[in-house]
Amino acid sequence: MVDSLRKPDLQETKAGNQAPPKESIITPRFYTTDFEEMAQMDISVNEDELQAILEEFREDYNRHHFVRDDQFDQSWEHIDGETRRLFSEFLERSCTAEFSGFLLYKELSRRLKQDSPVLAECFNLMSRDEARHAGFLNKALSDFNLQLDLGFLTKSKSYTFFKPKFIFYATYLSEKIGYWRYITIYRHLESHPENQIYPLFRFFENWCQDENRHGDFFAAIMKSQPQFLNDWKAKLWCRFFLLSVFATMYLNDIQRKGFYALLGLDAREYDIYVIQKTNESSGRVFPIILNVDHPKFFELLDRCTQSAEKMAIAAQSNLPKPLKLLKKLPNVAAIGVNLARLYFMKPIDMTATRNTVR
Ligand SMILES: [Fe+2]
Ligand SMILES: [Fe+2]
């Protein structure tokens, strides 16, 4: 799972000297849910598709993929200064996101085992994938003398409760956006080998297929629960989750454009592409998608990033606390207003289109 709603917590390690990043409005969440409700879900309407996905998970196509080859076998001291900082931050954030996916899926598999064996096994096999992803990233971190203390992370995190249907909207989106993020980086570096600064990215092609399969699994679960997709509340919530995931990723990535520049990518162009593709994918399951091609869409998101930038500058200044707060408030309000404008932009109804295709 790749989660753009999350931002990692760091535990200081023996080798590294990372200070835990400060909490912010885009701090990551570890999720928990109503396990009983999920266990009692009747999935029979879409059981065949879920069984087929389970068979695919059992195939374990990436069993031999996550093996470090001799390309990692060298010193990475030449990646230093700001480049090293940006790079380590990317690895830490990715590792934490993958690990939080592992924790959620593992717990779901444990709690559903008794009453919902098909879903339980799917969750177990997805947790296998996420553990591999997190482990591979943690090994990459060790190339930079860093290590995330995953045990500490497990114990110290606070968990956010989401009802099952919200877990499905959010995890579906984070898996699909993860797929598009990884594959876009992979394809870009394939055509720009001069920006291949570290071998990790060569693994993204098969890796992202795991995320794609995970996303398809959540789509299949949602299809087994038509009540999660077919009423006016579903439309409002899908809009909400689409916008939350897109806006969070956009704000995060623009703040870290230096990292994307290292790979020869323009963070804004990269995000626009990933958002367009994820939005389009979501249209296969969500009743509604966002009108991301509307000329105002990214203009409003840009206003949000400008306000976030002003907030970051004020936060880093030496001003006394009350003054900092005073500077922060109008920017928080501006972000709120612009997000609300984005939320109320007319979405694209997919139910009509899908019925026509049929
Ligand atoms: Fe993953
Ligand atoms: Fe995943």
Side-chain angles (χ1 to χ4, degrees), residues 1-2 98 130 133 207 211 214:
M1 178 152 101
V2 176
E98 297 281 10
E130 305 301 12
H133 303 166
W207 183 329
E211 314 302 6
H214 299 170

Side-chain angles (χ1 to χ4, degrees), residues 57-109:
F57 286 160
R58 284 180 181 154
E59 288 290 326
D60 197 3
Y61 301 112
N62 280 340
R63 183 181 318 204
H64 303 299
H65 181 61
F66 294 96
V67 179
R68 277 160 65 96
D69 52 24
D70 49 16
Q71 291 198 51
F72 287 92
D73 238 355
Q74 56 162 295
S75 161
W76 299 99
E77 293 301 316
H78 61 278
I79 300 183
D80 55 7
E82 181 62 4
T83 309
R84 196 178 181 90
R85 191 192 69 73
L86 289 166
F87 209 77
S88 309
E89 190 189 33
F90 168 78
L91 294 174
E92 286 150 6
R93 293 172 63 84
S94 307
C95 184
T96 310
E98 297 281 10
F99 186 68
S100 70
F102 158 75
L103 284 181
L104 175 67
Y105 299 161
K106 192 77 194 164
E107 186 63 6
L108 283 166
S109 134

